Amino acid sequence: MNRFIISGGGTGGHIFPALAIANQLKKEIPEAEILFIGANGKMEMTRVPEAGYNIVGLDVFGIRRDLSWSGIKSNVKLPFVLLKTMRKAKQIMRQFKPDVVIGVGGYASGPALRAAQALNIPTVIQEQNSYPGKTNKWLSKKAAKICVAYNGLDRFFPEDKIVKTGNPVRAEIINFQPKLEEAYTFFDLDKNKKTILIIGGSQGARTINQTILAHIEDFKKMDCQLIWQTGESFYNSNEIQLSELQSKSIKILPFIKHMNLAYSVADYIVSRAGALAIAELTIVGAPTILIPFPSAAEDHQTANAKQLSDAEVAILLPDKEVNEKLYPNLVNLMNDHVASNKMAQNMRQFAQPDAIHKIVKEILVF
């Protein structure tokens, strides 16, 4: 067995686990041939080739939840689009002849895995969230294995197919080291000052960004340091203003490529609650405020964050309360050293650094 297709994407939360799986497959089977299937126009079409893998794009999109005329027209077209992408996906399967097809979520994973299942090719689903989306629920009926990170998913998937593996995390995150001199040099920061890391996900987060922007002067008065990943859209729309705010203590970036270095200097973290982010944060073990993305499918980010907030290892702050409560929550967290240290210590107990090995072991069964 040495031919694999990995499908999915749309956000870093799907792309980075996919790349982690590909890298581990290559590590265990150096001669493995790996092809990605993504959605045209989505970020996987850039990130996957940057990582050294081939990718084929499908012209596929998801259901529009708005009731605008364009949204209605898009939803009417969707069944026909899916039929077309299914045909193309089957063609890819016949040409590439994969031994196993792995789905990580995202628009392309639906037609790709369904095509594989129609051709009797084994499929493995890697479900990152505590509340799965409709596509994975549908695909699970014919999947060979479903790798999950949370308990209780037998409510949605056939119990005999579920394997609890955890979510795959990039090797550089698993091996990250706190307080690295190299990391402070990379970001040009002072090792003697506390550093707050703001990460709104690979695409940024408007509510978080607007709140941080409104409190920039307050952060300066706190005598702390800030690494702020805005997402490319917000950065490009506000580039002049943001460039003027850059200083020795405030680093504003559209996207952080070296997250291991960012985590190394982070004393406190504000983050969305995507499954990948949580998997990484449990390994890092810094006091964290989680702000679920309110428009995530089935509100799965809130379900993800609640697992940690219920265990008192992170603070869950709803998006609608960010403008009013994010800054005071951060100040309280930074001033309460006992609570912060306990939170960080407990967070690490949720880490699953061997998840990638467990997932690849399940893939190589077939």
Side-chain angles (χ1 to χ4, degrees):
M1 175 192 293
N2 64 359
R3 299 178 72 83
F4 307 93
I5 284 179
I6 302 175
S7 183
T11 67
H14 294 311
I15 295 165
F16 294 127
L19 290 173
I21 291 169
N23 291 339
Q24 188 62 32
L25 284 169
K26 272 288 191 183
K27 187 175 180 181
E28 296 194 21
I29 309 173
E31 69 276 14
E33 294 184 48
I34 299 172
L35 176 67
F36 281 76
I37 297 179
N40 284 325
K42 295 298 180 180
M43 65 186 293
E44 61 263 27
M45 302 307 292
T46 301
R47 302 292 180 205
V48 169
E50 284 177 353
Y53 295 100
N54 294 326
I55 185 167
V56 179
L58 300 178
D59 293 319
V60 64
F61 51 85
I63 295 173
R64 289 271 295 272
R65 289 177 170 81
D66 64 273
L67 297 177
S68 65
W69 178 239
S70 63
I72 292 169
K73 284 198 298 182
S74 176
N75 289 340
V76 169
K77 287 180 184 177
L78 186 57
F80 303 98
V81 169
L82 289 175
L83 283 172
K84 185 178 178 181
T85 54
M86 270 282 292
R87 285 197 295 269
K88 183 173 180 181
K90 281 185 179 180
Q91 183 182 15
I92 295 167
M93 300 295 162
R94 290 188 178 107
Q95 289 173 346
F96 189 76
K97 295 181 173 61
D99 297 294
V100 183
V101 176
I102 304 114
V104 296
Y107 296 140
S109 66
L113 266 71
R114 190 66 193 90
Q117 290 171 351
L119 295 170
N120 294 317
I121 299 167
T123 58
V124 175
I125 293 172
Q126 198 274 307
E127 173 55 64
Q128 293 120 27
N129 296 297
S130 58
Y131 195 99
K134 292 183 178 68
T135 301
N136 276 354
K137 290 179 195 173
W138 173 58
L139 291 168
S140 69
K141 296 170 186 176
K142 293 189 176 181
K145 288 286 181 181
I146 305 159
C147 298
V148 304
Y150 295 93
N151 295 323
L153 269 79
D154 52 348
R155 292 177 294 155
F156 311 106
F157 299 140
E159 188 174 2
D160 60 328
K161 297 180 180 182
I162 295 173
V163 182
K164 189 176 180 184
T165 58
N167 280 322
V169 174
R170 293 166 282 177
E172 63 267 28
I173 305 299
I174 292 173
N175 300 320
F176 106 104
Q177 296 177 41
K179 308 301 178 189
L180 267 181
E181 197 72 47
E182 172 195 353
Y184 285 97
T185 302
F186 181 83
F187 289 106
D188 190 24
L189 293 172
D190 186 342
K191 195 172 185 178
N192 298 311
K193 287 187 177 182
K194 295 294 183 183
T195 302
I196 303 168
L197 173 63
I198 312 287
I199 39 176
S202 57
Q203 300 181 88
R206 181 177 298 276
T207 314
I208 297 173
N209 285 337
Q210 290 173 339
T211 302
I212 298 301
L213 188 58
H215 285 282
I216 281 291
E217 294 304 319
D218 295 315
F219 283 113
K220 289 179 181 176
K221 292 173 187 174
M222 285 172 66
D223 194 33
C224 64
Q225 300 173 133
L226 195 66
I227 300 177
W228 174 17
Q229 176 184 278
T230 64
E232 292 178 359
S233 176
F234 186 86
Y235 189 90
N236 293 337
S237 300
N238 301 275
E239 189 168 0
I240 295 173
Q241 183 182 10
L242 295 176
S243 63
E244 290 173 351
L245 294 173
Q246 299 272 14
S247 68
K248 174 68 178 173
S249 60
I250 297 175
K251 312 297 178 183
I252 308 173
L253 304 160
F255 183 77
I256 300 173
K257 287 189 176 181
H258 300 283
M259 278 304 302
N260 56 320
L261 299 182
Y263 285 139
S264 180
V265 302
D267 296 291
Y268 304 92
I269 298 175
V270 175
S271 174
R272 283 301 196 197
L276 171 68
I278 287 178
E280 294 183 349
L281 292 168
T282 57
I283 288 171
V284 174
T288 298
I289 297 175
L290 293 171
I291 303 169
F293 177 47
S295 301
E298 283 81 34
D299 198 22
H300 67 257
Q301 288 205 7
T302 297
N304 293 345
K306 200 169 184 304
Q307 297 252 346
L308 295 186
S309 66
D310 285 351
E312 300 182 345
V313 301
I315 296 169
L316 193 168
L317 184 63
D319 192 82
K320 63 184 179 182
E321 298 178 13
V322 166
N323 186 45
E324 178 186 353
K325 296 183 178 179
L326 176 57
Y327 181 72
N329 267 271
L330 259 176
V331 172
N332 291 339
L333 193 59
M334 295 175 75
N335 288 337
D336 191 339
H337 302 298
V338 174
S340 292
N341 290 337
K342 184 179 179 181
M343 188 183 293
Q345 186 177 1
N346 291 342
M347 175 79 91
R348 294 186 194 101
Q349 294 177 12
F350 281 76
Q352 295 174 302
D354 60 345
I356 189 62
H357 299 283
K358 292 179 180 178
I359 292 167
V360 169
K361 180 182 177 182
E362 295 301 324
I363 292 168
L364 296 180
V365 164
F366 305 100

